[in-house]
Amino acid sequence: MGLFGKFFGALKKTKDNFSEKLRVLFSKNKLGDEFYEELEELLISSDVSVSTAEEVVNRVKEQAIDEKLRDPEYVTGLLRRILIDILEESEVEPPQYPCVIMLVGVNGVGKTTTVGKLAHYFLTQKKTVTVAAADTFRAAASEQLSIWAERAKVRIVKHEEGSDPSAVIFDAVSSAKAKGTDVVIVDTAGRLHVKENLMNELRKMDRVVTREYPEADFLKLLVLDATTGQNAVNQARVFDEAVELDGIVLTKLDGTAKGGFVFSLAQELGLPVLFAGVGEKMDDLEFFDSKSFVEAIL
């Protein structure tokens, strides 16, 4: 099953939730300001932030033809085009090689699992991969990553528990340069975005890669649990201020009935979703496609 099919399956809850609310809105048969206010409320109830919901509705107003607002297909098509535009405005090109991908985020969002799935993804793209176990604080974190590395059949660089994470990254980058590895994927310890000392540690790791491997395409991706809701935007804002994020990896997309914060990430922070996890299997993570995502929820 391709990504488009996986999106449809994973986002069924979101589609059912949003489509039902749209149906109710159209059934009221109200035009003008009241219609737009309720459309904005609908978006907000689907975890689109207030400012992004206002932006979407303003764009609908600009393009709408009043006499066609009674036509659900017309309004849905218009809304679909606007939402795709918002996502595409922040899109970036796929990684260039060699590249280093550092995953950051709070505890429990699935970073280590995502490392394994990303490794598998790049192997399917015929790239060589090394993973770096820079989560040296969580008990057995490197062992867990080792299991994923073994499943994905990629090399792992790790140190003892409690080691300096930046030293792990230094060794991984040095090894990748020596061996001509295409992709280095770095697992980092989960951290609360309000802990400044932990954010400083991320900045140190950032500097190591920038200094030691300037020729690599360096992507700092925030792993977000799709069930987080609008708080995801707040998390992204703080991590972005700390390390200048390049994008987002969404996990547990199949577990949410909302997911509207994806549009807020793009519209407010200019952060695209690069990869999305749509299941538990090794191959259930793919490069994100804006049109497929919007089609799947509308």
Side-chain angles (χ1 to χ4, degrees):
M1 183 187 294
L3 181 60
F4 194 77
K6 288 183 179 179
F7 267 153
F8 267 92
L11 290 166
K12 187 178 186 305
K13 293 178 184 176
T14 305
K15 185 178 181 67
D16 290 347
N17 178 56
F18 197 80
S19 296
E20 174 60 19
K21 290 177 179 177
L22 266 182
R23 187 192 65 76
V24 171
L25 176 57
F26 291 134
S27 70
K28 293 180 179 179
N29 203 25
K30 296 175 181 176
L31 304 180
D33 291 342
E34 192 169 351
F35 174 86
Y36 290 119
E37 286 173 8
E38 292 195 25
L39 179 59
E40 186 175 315
E41 289 172 8
L42 188 160
L43 292 167
I44 292 169
S45 72
S46 297
D47 277 343
V48 178
S49 68
V50 173
S51 62
T52 300
E54 289 176 349
E55 172 68 18
V56 171
V57 171
N58 285 337
R59 292 194 191 189
V60 172
K61 281 183 179 180
E62 288 174 5
Q63 299 180 38
I65 302 171
D66 288 344
E67 61 267 24
K68 284 197 172 184
L69 282 179
R70 294 179 185 273
D71 181 356
E73 289 188 10
Y74 168 79
V75 178
T76 302
L78 181 57
L79 184 60
R80 182 182 293 117
R81 290 196 300 276
I82 289 168
L83 292 176
I84 290 172
D85 285 347
I86 285 175
L87 293 183
E88 290 184 340
E89 283 163 10
S90 69
E91 275 187 354
V92 295
E93 294 296 319
Q96 303 299 304
Y97 306 100
C99 74
V100 177
I101 297 176
M102 185 169 77
L103 300 183
V104 303
V106 301
N107 291 301
V109 292
K111 286 188 301 301
T112 302
T113 301
T114 299
V115 172
K117 290 181 177 182
L118 276 175
H120 176 78
Y121 169 83
F122 284 110
L123 288 176
T124 65
Q125 305 299 306
K126 309 300 182 186
K127 302 301 176 184
T128 53
V129 179
T130 292
V131 299
D135 180 355
T136 60
F137 295 105
R138 184 166 60 89
S142 63
E143 285 78 3
Q144 182 187 356
L145 187 60
S146 294
I147 292 170
W148 277 101
E150 186 176 333
R151 288 176 63 185
K153 295 181 174 57
V154 297
R155 199 160 54 87
I156 182 170
V157 175
K158 58 183 179 179
H159 287 188
E160 293 181 357
E161 190 176 316
S163 300
D164 182 355
S166 294
V168 179
I169 293 179
F170 179 89
D171 285 354
V173 165
S174 299
S175 174
K177 289 168 66 176
K179 295 179 179 296
T181 304
D182 295 314
V183 185
V184 177
I185 307 172
V186 180
D187 187 22
T188 65
R191 61 203 68 224
L192 293 171
H193 51 294
V194 295
K195 295 290 186 181
E196 185 62 22
N197 59 323
L198 295 178
M199 300 305 273
N200 284 333
E201 186 180 77
L202 282 182
R203 295 184 185 101
K204 180 181 176 184
M205 290 187 265
D206 182 343
R207 290 194 298 272
V208 169
V209 176
T210 302
R211 183 184 69 235
E212 300 297 329
Y213 208 1
E215 64 270 33
D217 189 7
F218 183 25
L219 300 179
K220 290 153 282 186
L221 305 183
L222 176 65
V223 181
L224 282 175
D225 181 334
T227 64
T228 301
Q230 288 193 31
N231 187 48
V233 179
N234 296 328
Q235 284 185 29
R237 183 174 282 109
V238 178
F239 276 97
D240 189 35
E241 289 171 356
V243 294
E244 295 183 5
L245 295 171
D246 296 287
I248 305 294
V249 180
L250 275 184
T251 64
K252 307 176 188 176
L253 196 57
D254 51 330
T256 180
K258 296 184 178 181
F261 66 87
V262 169
F263 302 101
S264 303
L265 290 168
Q267 200 270 324
E268 294 178 39
L269 302 179
L271 286 175
V273 176
L274 269 68
F275 295 93
V278 291
E280 298 297 323
K281 297 178 182 178
M282 181 76 87
D283 61 353
D284 285 339
L285 184 139
E286 294 279 353
F287 200 75
F288 185 81
D289 181 84
S290 298
K291 289 181 180 177
S292 296
F293 180 78
V294 175
E295 290 285 347
I297 63 174
L298 284 179

